[in-house]
Amino acid sequence: MDVNILVGGAAGQGMDTVMNLLGKTLVRHGYEIIYTKDYMSRVRGGHNFSRLRIAAQTPWTPVNMIDILVALNEETYLNHISNLSPTGRIIFDPDSFSLPAEERRGLPVELLKLAKEHGGPVMANTVAVGALLVMIGLETGTTEKLLEEFFAGKEGIAEENINALKAGYKSASRKCDACFDLPAVKSDVKKLFIEGNQILGMSALASGCRFLSAYPMTPSTGIMNYLASKSGELPLVVEQAEDEIAAINMALGASYAGVRALTVTSGGGFSLMVEGLSLAGMTETPLVIIVAMRPGPATGLPTRTEQGDLSFVVSAGHGEFPRAVLSATSHEDAFYRLNKAFDLADRFQVPVIFLSDQNFADTHRSLEPFDFGRLTYNRYLVEENEINKPYKRYEITESGISPRALPGQYPGEVVLIDSDEHDEKGNIIEDAKTRNLMVEKRMRKLALLADEMDEPDLYGDTQPERLILGWGSTYGVLREAVDALSAAGIKTAMLHFSDLWPLPRRRLMSLLPHVKKSYCVENNAGGQLAALVRKETGIPVNRLILKYDGRSFMPDEIVREVERDGK
């Protein structure tokens, strides 16, 4: 049986602290969870909330239904009470607001008063965790250890928080004891409790990335923070540039010099990087760029989610040059997918854009540890005995891939690059014949890149009548929607794209023309994947299911839209 918890309040009231502490506690007990955040782009005020779902297996997505509502203010109660189950409970502070007289599901806990008695008002969220532990039938021991670890070296703070935790536990236990049964723990394998940005940072490190330059921009900043936290213990340089133009050019310089390099940003920052992207195309410099999408245009909704930059990144840049576009889908896949991005960049000497979004970046899940043995690390540099001397950085080859050497790698050989059109040695040219040869050389890589793209993941009925297309972080919600539709007797499958450009078409062409009805589910207003599919295959998708309010989809929204066409 699933248990769904929502904690809400004003920005600054510590919802993130509650869910992080509770999430880590649950994972250490062996439970399977997902935890997502919905927050405003302000330091204090407004309405923020977090959802945490506990299930028999790691859930793919949160759901709207709530079993336990922790209302740190009255606004949270008013906004979410309609989704509370009839048997649900509400933890609230009676000194802050009162529930209607007819509301029988309340569990009053004097959060602020107890916090002040045991250290200070800032510990009200720790009191709330104590009350939550009572309701799901867990003792405080594991959480106490987590508080000791978190506040290690800060004398007295851990003890105060533990006292606040126990006070919340004691207060709630007088009114409710193990009100909700948790799903059975099926495995004793220790699991990670990790969010999307941390996964990408970990994958970059494990893939040999040793240089990051970026300008902070939500929701990509968490990747930079993760890598910066590791720079003191690993041979890694993290540079906060003055802007995104400098960030991409620094990364290109590092890559030219021989270091595996990365830059991260969001849509507005990527706009500034576009000239540098073209420079990577002309100089054939390997580079990975993570674009964590948020709603635009301009500042848009800076702390919310969208899939609005697919069309932009596929065609960004002046002139024509090959690039690959991959995306983060599930937390399980993204770790290995980013490793593939680094490999493609080095192998084909092209920029590779890796799309993420706020929904992926800020979502925590319980996961089994990653298999580092699946990662690849090959720099694809030319050996000295393979060089045709004198060395030509842009030697014309059948594949379009020139032998790559690093500056100074081989004595007497010059590595000359230029952003102007150039000949095989890297010298500036303007003659038509050489120009044509160089354009054709670069563009030949596109066909090779197409061969490296993974086909979209097929999930559900192998002979579906309804086919749902999707990409990026909608993976989990589409899986749950397909399960629900299949359970309702509708033969449904999904094709979910991780590799987006060049667009893999084999599986798409084998299914799309033969289904009764096709849908494309995207967090944007234009149906950008559907447009790309139509452009590349000539086949339109029957119906678009789009959402562009800055919030991620819920499974019931997709099910409802598909069922509008009947069973």
Side-chain angles (χ1 to χ4, degrees):
M1 176 185 291
D2 291 9
V3 177
N4 297 285
I5 301 169
L6 188 147
V7 178
Q13 281 193 292
M15 284 67 69
D16 205 31
T17 302
V18 174
M19 288 306 205
N20 259 308
L21 195 52
L22 181 64
K24 287 182 179 178
T25 299
L26 286 161
V27 172
R28 288 202 179 180
H29 277 283
Y31 293 104
E32 316 266 4
I33 69 167
I34 187 171
Y35 148 46
T36 62
K37 294 189 284 189
D38 187 304
Y39 60 104
M40 306 189 79
S41 54
R42 61 185 71 174
V43 176
R44 194 162 188 84
H47 177 56
N48 289 7
F49 62 94
S50 298
R51 299 176 189 273
L52 191 149
R53 180 181 176 190
I54 313 163
Q57 296 188 349
T58 300
W60 289 105
T61 179
V63 294
N64 277 320
M65 198 269 288
I66 303 165
D67 297 301
I68 305 173
L69 175 62
V70 182
L72 298 178
N73 59 13
E74 188 171 18
E75 186 179 15
T76 299
Y77 170 76
L78 296 173
N79 281 345
H80 300 284
I81 189 61
S82 62
N83 289 323
L84 186 67
S85 73
T87 57
R89 301 300 298 265
I90 309 159
I91 297 175
F92 72 104
D93 189 337
D95 294 334
S96 173
F97 67 96
S98 300
L99 299 183
E102 65 275 15
E103 178 59 78
R104 303 296 181 192
R105 296 170 290 183
L107 181 71
V109 179
E110 295 168 316
L111 301 174
L112 196 57
K113 178 184 176 185
L114 292 172
K116 289 178 179 176
E117 290 175 0
H118 295 89
V122 72
M123 295 174 193
N125 44 30
T126 310
V127 177
V129 174
L132 274 166
L133 291 176
V134 172
M135 301 191 76
I136 56 179
L138 295 181
E139 300 293 331
T140 60
T142 300
T143 315
E144 290 177 36
K145 288 180 182 175
L146 281 166
L147 289 168
E148 289 171 351
E149 292 171 14
F150 187 74
F151 293 112
K154 298 179 180 177
E155 190 176 350
I157 298 180
E159 185 179 354
E160 289 175 345
N161 272 278
I162 289 171
N163 289 336
L165 178 81
K166 289 179 176 177
Y169 189 91
K170 184 178 178 181
S171 175
S173 61
R174 297 193 192 103
K175 303 149 190 164
C176 173
D177 189 8
C179 298
F180 297 90
D181 294 327
L182 296 181
V185 173
K186 295 182 178 177
S187 169
D188 58 359
V189 175
K190 289 185 178 178
K191 295 204 168 185
L192 304 172
F193 176 61
I194 191 167
E195 68 172 11
N197 272 342
Q198 292 170 329
I199 289 172
L200 297 184
M202 187 189 298
S203 175
L205 276 180
S207 299
C209 174
R210 293 296 177 262
F211 183 87
L212 167 76
S213 50
Y215 184 79
M217 191 169 187
T218 303
S220 67
T221 308
I223 305 168
M224 182 166 65
N225 291 343
Y226 178 87
L227 290 171
S229 72
K230 304 297 180 185
S231 60
E233 55 188 284
L234 294 169
L236 168 71
V237 173
V238 176
E239 176 69 18
Q240 179 176 324
E242 63 267 35
D243 57 36
E244 287 85 353
I245 299 171
I248 190 169
N249 286 315
M250 286 179 183
L252 285 171
S255 179
Y256 167 68
V259 178
R260 189 165 266 190
L262 170 70
T263 185
V264 301
T265 187
S266 186
F270 184 72
S271 297
L272 295 176
M273 290 183 176
V274 167
E275 186 173 7
L277 178 72
S278 294
L279 179 61
M282 176 57 100
T283 60
E284 303 184 51
T285 305
L287 184 65
V288 174
I289 307 166
I290 297 178
V291 180
M293 295 175 288
R294 70 188 205 190
T299 308
L301 297 172
T303 60
R304 302 199 180 276
T305 200
E306 196 158 276
Q307 296 180 303
D309 295 330
L310 173 59
S311 300
F312 181 32
V313 303
V314 164
S315 59
H318 52 287
E320 300 165 295
F321 57 92
R323 89 280 309 269
V325 179
L326 314 182
S327 68
T329 54
S330 66
H331 286 54
E332 289 89 339
D333 181 77
F335 181 77
Y336 307 105
R337 189 71 48 186
L338 184 62
N339 175 253
K340 178 179 178 179
F342 279 106
D343 188 71
L344 290 176
D346 271 354
R347 182 177 171 189
F348 295 98
Q349 302 170 28
V350 294
V352 178
I353 300 159
F354 190 90
L355 288 174
S356 169
D357 58 37
Q358 183 270 329
N359 180 42
F360 173 84
D362 290 333
T363 295
H364 280 76
R365 293 183 72 217
S366 54
L367 298 175
E368 291 190 7
F370 296 109
D371 179 3
F372 284 67
R374 286 179 54 188
L375 302 182
T376 60
Y377 181 79
N378 193 331
R379 300 305 312 278
Y380 302 101
L381 298 173
V382 66
E383 299 291 335
E384 188 168 15
N385 59 7
E386 298 171 337
I387 294 177
N388 294 320
K389 296 184 179 180
Y391 173 69
K392 298 175 182 175
R393 174 63 187 91
Y394 300 111
E395 182 177 326
I396 292 175
T397 63
E398 187 176 346
S399 66
I401 303 170
S402 302
R404 182 183 176 217
L406 302 179
Q409 186 176 7
Y410 299 118
E413 303 302 327
V414 177
V415 179
L416 183 61
I417 71 169
D418 204 293
S419 64
D420 283 53
E421 190 58 277
H422 41 253
D423 62 14
E424 290 181 285
K425 293 181 181 177
N427 296 308
I428 297 173
I429 62 92
E430 293 194 38
D431 69 280
K433 179 181 178 183
T434 307
R435 163 66 178 177
N436 285 343
L437 288 172
M438 280 297 157
V439 170
E440 291 157 8
K441 180 192 99 70
R442 290 191 291 267
M443 295 305 284
R444 279 199 291 275
K445 299 181 195 176
L446 199 55
L448 298 179
L449 279 169
D451 291 338
E452 297 299 320
M453 296 295 105
D454 288 338
E455 292 293 325
D457 186 34
L458 173 62
Y459 179 78
D461 200 302
T462 54
Q463 294 183 314
E465 295 179 352
R466 312 282 179 90
L467 181 65
I468 302 175
L469 307 185
W471 63 283
S473 73
T474 59
Y475 181 82
V477 71
L478 289 185
R479 273 185 69 115
E480 296 217 358
V482 167
D483 288 341
L485 289 164
S486 299
I490 301 175
K491 297 180 68 175
T492 311
M494 76 169 184
L495 273 184
H496 202 275
F497 289 78
S498 300
D499 293 352
L500 291 156
W501 185 259
L503 186 73
R505 295 186 292 180
R506 181 179 54 78
R507 190 168 284 169
L508 186 65
M509 295 304 292
S510 71
L511 277 173
L512 185 57
H514 308 295
V515 295
K516 288 184 178 177
K517 193 94 175 182
S518 58
Y519 307 81
C520 196
V521 178
E522 300 184 63
N523 275 118
N524 57 55
Q528 297 186 14
L529 175 63
L532 187 62
V533 167
R534 185 172 62 248
K535 174 175 174 282
E536 293 298 309
T537 68
I539 303 174
V541 174
N542 295 127
R543 192 147 74 82
L544 301 177
I545 300 176
L546 306 176
K547 187 173 183 178
Y548 38 87
D549 60 4
R551 280 72 178 173
S552 56
F553 280 102
M554 288 287 176
D556 59 307
E557 294 173 312
I558 299 165
V559 170
R560 195 163 51 244
E561 286 298 317
V562 174
E563 287 183 339
R564 281 174 54 194
D565 293 320
K567 297 184 179 180

